[in-house]
Amino acid sequence: MDMKSKRWLLLLLVAVVLLATACGGKKENGAGNGSSGGAGGESSNTSSSTAKAGQPLEITFFAPQGKAPMEENDFTKLIEQKFNVKIKWDLAPSDALTDRRQLLLASGDYPEVFLEGAFSRTDVLLYAKQGVLVPLNDLIDQHAPNIKKAMEEKPYLKEAMTAPDGNIYGIPRVNECYHCTYSQKFWINKEWLDKLGLDIPTTTEELYEVLLAFKTRDPNGNGKQDEIPLTGAPDKYVWNGNIDAFLMNAFIYNDNSKYLLVKDGKVDFAANKPEWREGLAYMHRLYKEGLIDPASFTQNDQAISQLGNREGDEIVGAFSSALIGYLVNVWDENNTRHQHWVPVPPLKGPNGVQLAGVYQGLGSFSFVITNKATEEQRIAAIKIADYLYTEEGTLFSEYGPNEGIGWNMAEEGELNIWGEQAKYTFERLEPEDPNKVRNDSWSLTGPKYMSKEFRDMFASAQDPLSPKGYETRLAQATKLYEPYAPAEYYPASAWIDAEDVDTAAQLTTAITDYVTSNMAQFILGKKDLEKDWDAYVKGFDGLNLDKYLEIYQKALQKNQ
């Protein structure tokens, strides 16, 4: 063969190879597009979202921004290796998470998976209706045995996850935290009580007398009237830090959320009742006599901590919050001030009311899959979520995969908050380098199954006043509240009908804002209960309170 013939043969072979490559590429991209499925369009990155042989599957997760790169996170690396995926992170500041999520969804340029999207039930129904969120029922049935098992173990979980149309659109973070269940607590300075010869108050009138003594009888012994009898903070800064969260339950049930009552299966409203007015009058009396810190309505968690941990004389006598750790340092072995503080059980009001607020352990839906995900991405994502519902997945996600750094196996004799043998412990961990940011877990990000059984696996020192016995202390405090739970209360698992979602969202925001703003004005005396109460109650007509109750009644009936 001459040189000219060889050259033509070489050109022909190159053309054949190029043609074959082009055809193969079209076939691969076509397969990727075809597998996206669902309403609302295809994956926006199909060229990279379909895994090639032996290559990791790319998938984008939305999550809050931590202090260290999620790409370098130890648990991220474990997930990527275990499921042969490459996670691309779309991160937002924690305090702007929902705003960033809303912007993404409004733009149409959102990720395949929201690992931590903080979707309320209203959000879920809204975006499911738009076709943005895909139903997870079949994915769970085929690829998520641990999520299925959790729903069987905890029937309330299946109820809470299943929308009115029968579909599951999101996976929540389950946290059956015992001390969270009755979190509208109240703490008092026992050292001051002992110095003044007073007992822990059991009624609202006894509390008044105690707070008055704190103000006038110099319990810190410095010769100054510098004591703050009672302080708190808005709930958005300090969990159940608003003073009405505890005190109102001596007059009428206060869920500290939607202000709903339930009696004999019928939904009613608390914040327009005569008993609510009595509670406001009591708190105004405390405020008027200088027994409530004026900063309670505005200060944040840092201000609370500065009050409780200030050097020198102790100045706070009582505190409303789920956790005493907001006020005083409970972790320092050399700081014993926190040992002065004890919980106050629910107070009995003038009409014999004595209730504890109930928190039901299920918040928002952290995990959803959107219609941007291909079938392959959906399967990978639900398998990851399912792993997070295993004991190992929950442990590693919350505390990191490294034994000896984030957790340890418990030794014989290391007990949990109930005095039973523990499985895991935080004891014997290497001291953390204060100059190094840990980057080994997803911590408060993503779904996980922190059931009561899981939480009871962890050791806690049996001395409740030791820094390492804080969980024991909180559990013992919570036992004082458990007997006072109301016979009926509005269930967190109730779903509002899809056609009511927008209306419910608007009414809930308007009504709860109206209640909280007026509450502060009545307590502070900016509004007069004698002159302004009727106008306040009438104001609910303009906010369509009847419709608000009708919507929640309908949801409750479907839940029963």
Side-chain angles (χ1 to χ4, degrees), residues 152-221:
E152 292 168 0
E153 292 174 346
K154 314 285 182 180
Y156 78 86
L157 179 59
K158 184 174 183 179
E159 290 177 8
M161 289 170 61
T162 306
D165 64 3
N167 286 321
I168 294 172
Y169 294 101
I171 310 296
R173 180 165 50 251
V174 175
N175 186 7
E176 293 184 332
C177 155
Y178 176 66
H179 73 253
C180 305
T181 309
Y182 302 97
S183 53
Q184 290 167 233
K185 294 185 176 72
F186 193 85
W187 305 84
I188 203 160
N189 191 324
K190 184 70 161 53
E191 184 175 78
W192 285 13
L193 290 175
D194 292 343
K195 183 171 182 179
L196 299 177
L198 300 170
D199 295 325
I200 294 173
T202 61
T203 68
T204 51
E205 192 59 29
E206 287 177 6
L207 177 63
Y208 165 76
E209 295 294 342
V210 164
L211 296 180
L212 187 62
F214 284 174
K215 178 185 177 183
T216 60
R217 294 174 57 188
D218 192 27
N220 65 11

Side-chain angles (χ1 to χ4, degrees), residues 281-526:
Y282 173 75
M283 287 182 272
H284 173 61
R285 176 190 178 197
L286 298 183
Y287 180 80
K288 187 178 180 181
E289 297 196 29
L291 308 183
I292 293 177
D293 182 3
S296 299
F297 301 91
T298 56
Q299 65 190 341
N300 61 18
D301 54 336
Q302 292 179 335
I304 283 287
S305 179
Q306 288 169 4
L307 278 182
N309 295 303
R310 71 190 294 270
E311 292 184 8
D313 300 315
E314 195 166 7
I315 62 170
V316 179
F319 175 54
S320 176
S321 173
L323 306 172
I324 188 58
Y326 278 111
L327 180 70
V328 284
N329 185 341
V330 301
W331 306 109
D332 186 350
E333 293 277 2
N334 300 314
N335 189 335
T336 59
R337 180 176 288 182
H338 70 90
Q339 296 180 0
H340 304 168
W341 290 83
V342 296
V344 177
L347 299 174
K348 183 176 288 187
N351 298 314
V353 176
Q354 192 174 17
L355 296 168
V358 180
Y359 172 72
Q360 298 173 62
L362 271 179
S364 58
F365 292 91
S366 51
F367 175 95
V368 299
I369 300 175
T370 76
N371 57 12
K372 299 287 185 179
T374 66
E375 187 67 21
E376 195 173 5
Q377 288 173 321
R378 295 177 191 187
I379 292 171
I382 202 67
K383 285 183 176 180
I384 292 171
D386 189 61
Y387 175 65
L388 296 175
Y389 261 53
T390 65
E391 180 183 327
E392 178 185 284
T394 296
L395 178 70
F396 290 178
S397 172
E398 187 70 9
Y399 303 111
N402 307 308
E403 183 177 355
I405 296 178
W407 51 276
N408 260 323
M409 298 302 297
E411 295 180 349
E412 186 68 30
E414 291 187 302
L415 308 179
N416 68 8
I417 58 175
W418 310 115
E420 302 163 343
Q421 177 62 43
K423 182 174 182 179
Y424 303 109
T425 181
F426 301 116
E427 295 287 347
R428 304 181 311 283
L429 296 178
E430 298 175 10
E432 290 189 27
D433 182 348
N435 299 313
K436 182 180 179 181
V437 176
R438 275 185 59 179
N439 193 23
D440 57 352
S441 74
W442 285 357
S443 190
L444 298 177
T445 295
K448 58 200 70 176
Y449 188 46
M450 298 180 72
S451 63
K452 179 185 183 299
E453 293 78 9
F454 176 82
R455 291 186 64 99
D456 285 352
M457 293 178 182
F458 286 84
S460 179
Q462 299 302 287
D463 177 3
L465 295 182
S466 68
K468 293 178 180 177
Y470 187 44
E471 284 290 331
T472 302
R473 181 182 193 171
L474 293 175
Q476 291 179 359
T478 304
K479 272 191 169 295
L480 301 175
Y481 289 75
E482 190 170 14
Y484 300 100
E488 294 179 89
Y489 48 85
Y490 200 86
S493 57
W495 283 80
I496 293 168
D497 281 348
E499 62 267 22
D500 294 329
V501 164
D502 292 339
T503 303
Q506 294 166 8
L507 292 179
T508 301
T509 299
I511 288 171
T512 55
D513 286 350
Y514 182 72
V515 170
T516 54
S517 63
N518 276 276
M519 183 187 305
Q521 292 179 73
F522 282 125
I523 295 172
L524 296 173
K526 294 179 179 179

